[in-house]
Amino acid sequence: MTEQDTPIADMNFEEALRALESVVRRLESGDVPLDESIDLYERGEALRKACQARLDAAQARIEKIVQGVDGKPAGTEPFDAGSPA
């Protein structure tokens, strides 16, 4: 199975980002037929959304850090990515 065939849901952030960079390089090369370019664009958009969702989840987790009275991090609160913020 190649990077192009790997389901996005099975990729970690770094793999998805590498796959997105590969899509962008191929599209920028200008050597891809139109139909394949459209498929690549769709895959790239799905990869971008997956990366953005993972970044948003990481940001939300970071924001869950609980600060103590002295302003220093005192712990964390669990973050449930499935519930609306």
Side-chain angles (χ1 to χ4, degrees):
M1 183 177 288
T2 67
E3 191 174 74
Q4 284 181 288
D5 300 326
T6 303
I8 295 170
D10 293 347
M11 295 179 170
N12 64 32
F13 175 79
E14 290 76 12
E15 292 167 335
L17 187 58
R18 278 193 303 274
L20 178 57
E21 290 168 344
S22 175
V23 165
V24 170
R25 275 193 303 276
R26 290 189 63 206
L27 287 171
E28 286 179 342
S29 76
D31 295 332
V32 183
L34 179 60
D35 288 341
E36 189 178 347
S37 292
I38 293 168
D39 292 341
L40 279 170
Y41 183 85
E42 289 172 345
R43 173 99 171 150
E45 182 61 16
L47 287 161
R48 183 199 66 76
K49 287 179 180 178
C51 288
Q52 187 63 54
R54 289 184 179 119
L55 287 172
D56 290 346
Q59 179 67 33
R61 288 180 65 193
I62 290 168
E63 290 172 358
K64 283 281 189 175
I65 295 174
V66 179
Q67 291 185 352
V69 202
D70 59 359
K72 295 182 181 176
T76 59
E77 292 179 11
F79 174 74
D80 181 5
S83 66

